Amino acid sequence: MNLPSVTVLIAARPGQAEVKAATASRALDYPADKLEVIVARGRQPSAQRNAALKAARGELIYFLDDDSVPGSGNLRRAVPHFNDPAVKMAGGPNLCPPDAPELEQVFAAVLASWLAFGPSRARYTPVGALRETTEKELILCNLVSRREALVQLGGFNEALYPNEENALMDELQKRGGKLIYDPQFFVHRRPRSSLKAFARMLLTYGRGRAEQFRLHPTLGSALNFIPPLFCVYLLFLLPALIWRWLPAAILLAPLAVYALALLGQGLALCARRESRLATFETNQPGRQRTPLRQIFESVAAMPLIILTHVLYGLGFWRGLFTKLEPFSEASSAPVTLETLVH
């Protein structure tokens, strides 16, 4: 079988000593003469990836974040998807390692919930079967792409970080390209380590989606307007009740529906996480995960789902009015490339 050449492309910080993705990439089951690993160091990931893309020799590019840990068989699983010339990208979820701290397991439950992230939860938990998909389900920390397709589009829009890959995927589909979601093609990657970092991430995600919508409006972004509108509802709820703009029953009805949805999501998380444990974590190293712990993590996730909607919504409002500027090396660390031996 004539395998295509692959470049594993990893964005890392200047001076970062441990790059987990680089270590794991050296253990990938793929012919050494067909595999290249490039670590692009800098402070703006989209600029780092563009610089590495120009230097890459592989026909396919495997994008990993610095803390993504792919299984040794990941490329053997992903490469066959590109036997179809129309397939331009293929990706799958990034899963929280079973030995991650309790707080990170709770964050993982939030990320994997439908109520918090809708179809994008597929980025954080295996959902369904192998299928053609959209940018809503793919994530750049575990994504394989045809290098030629990326080059033809000029790489990533550096002014759109962190949604530069989403805009690029939309453009690929507009040109007739296929995107593939494979739930069995996954990496392990730990969520944010603190509530502060998690909150900052939510604000950034909201801002990035709004900036993407400003430049590339699509119907697929309609769901992303729900959190910012939810924030507007909460802002006006108290004065509306005080001054009786409408009957209280009408004003509180959306909140009651939301509370029921939140309760339903909590129950679904309990069942889903127990199922995920049996399917994906049984043979993974880590602490024994009991049903009681599963219930605790699911219940603890519920207030964080509310926080997700509020912070994402606030970030979205901010992103509607930010000034979009391309990355400039003059204002940040220059990008440096390191090619590693397989």
Side-chain angles (χ1 to χ4, degrees):
M1 180 180 179
N2 187 22
L3 294 171
S5 56
V6 178
T7 295
V8 181
L9 200 161
I10 305 162
R13 298 182 302 277
Q16 182 178 343
E18 181 185 18
V19 182
K20 293 181 179 179
T23 302
S25 295
R26 288 174 167 172
L28 286 168
D29 176 20
Y30 210 72
D33 61 335
K34 296 279 189 177
L35 185 64
E36 174 184 51
V37 180
I38 296 179
V39 177
R41 296 185 181 270
R43 298 195 182 279
Q44 213 280 15
S46 56
Q48 293 162 243
R49 292 173 179 125
N50 279 341
L53 189 60
K54 294 176 182 177
R57 299 193 303 268
E59 300 166 64
L60 300 178
I61 306 294
Y62 186 15
F63 292 101
L64 294 173
D65 278 7
D66 62 325
D67 55 351
S68 297
V69 181
S72 61
N74 269 25
L75 286 180
R76 294 285 186 178
R77 181 167 187 89
V79 165
H81 299 323
F82 292 88
N83 290 337
D84 180 354
V87 172
K88 303 303 180 185
M89 284 183 171
N94 67 109
L95 308 180
C96 178
D99 60 346
E102 197 75 58
L103 182 61
E104 295 180 17
Q105 297 289 347
V106 175
F107 291 156
V110 175
L111 293 168
S113 68
W114 177 265
L115 187 58
F117 280 88
S120 294
R121 73 189 185 99
R123 299 171 179 170
Y124 308 101
T125 188
V127 175
L130 176 70
R131 60 186 179 276
E132 190 173 344
T133 188
T134 70
E135 55 93 7
K136 289 288 189 183
E137 295 188 317
L138 299 180
I139 190 166
L140 197 54
C141 67
N142 182 35
L143 186 72
V144 182
S145 177
R146 293 189 191 274
R147 179 180 179 275
E148 182 182 10
L150 299 178
V151 171
Q152 287 177 350
L153 292 178
F156 298 102
N157 184 339
E158 295 171 13
L160 272 182
Y161 178 76
N163 277 62
E164 74 279 19
E165 78 269 24
N166 305 94
L168 192 145
M169 290 180 207
D170 270 339
E171 188 59 33
L172 285 174
Q173 284 195 302
K174 288 178 183 177
R175 300 187 179 200
K178 293 181 181 179
L179 311 179
I180 298 297
Y181 176 80
D182 184 346
Q184 298 288 341
F185 173 64
F186 62 89
V187 298
H188 279 111
R189 181 171 176 255
R190 289 175 59 173
R192 299 300 190 269
S193 59
S194 69
L195 182 59
K196 181 179 179 180
F198 187 71
R200 188 183 303 117
M201 178 198 74
L202 296 172
L203 288 166
T204 300
Y205 281 1
R207 173 187 59 77
R209 176 58 65 170
E211 291 174 344
Q212 178 192 344
F213 181 80
R214 284 164 55 190
L215 294 183
H216 306 279
T218 63
L219 289 176
S221 292
L223 283 175
N224 298 100
F225 279 85
I226 296 177
L229 292 176
F230 180 63
C231 289
V232 173
Y233 165 73
L234 292 179
L235 179 65
F236 285 97
L237 181 59
L238 183 59
L241 288 171
I242 293 174
W243 284 290
R244 299 181 182 179
W245 294 343
L246 289 171
I250 294 178
L251 290 171
L252 293 174
L255 204 57
V257 172
Y258 182 77
L260 288 174
L262 189 63
L263 177 60
Q265 179 64 87
L267 294 173
L269 277 176
C270 290
R272 185 201 65 81
R273 287 179 67 74
E274 186 172 347
S275 173
R276 176 176 176 265
L277 171 64
T279 305
F280 286 92
E281 295 181 353
T282 301
N283 298 319
Q284 299 294 334
R287 297 173 298 175
Q288 180 65 36
R289 306 187 62 72
T290 65
L292 184 61
R293 287 186 62 203
Q294 297 292 321
I295 293 173
F296 167 77
E297 291 166 6
S298 300
V299 171
M302 294 172 68
L304 291 180
I305 291 175
I306 302 173
L307 184 70
T308 296
H309 292 147
V310 172
L311 293 180
Y312 187 98
L314 293 175
F316 193 96
W317 280 115
R318 181 190 174 200
L320 291 177
F321 303 101
T322 51
K323 183 178 181 181
L324 300 179
E325 295 180 342
F327 169 76
S328 171
E329 283 194 356
S331 61
S332 186
V335 175
T336 60
L337 304 180
E338 303 170 8
T339 301
L340 307 180
V341 178
H342 178 42

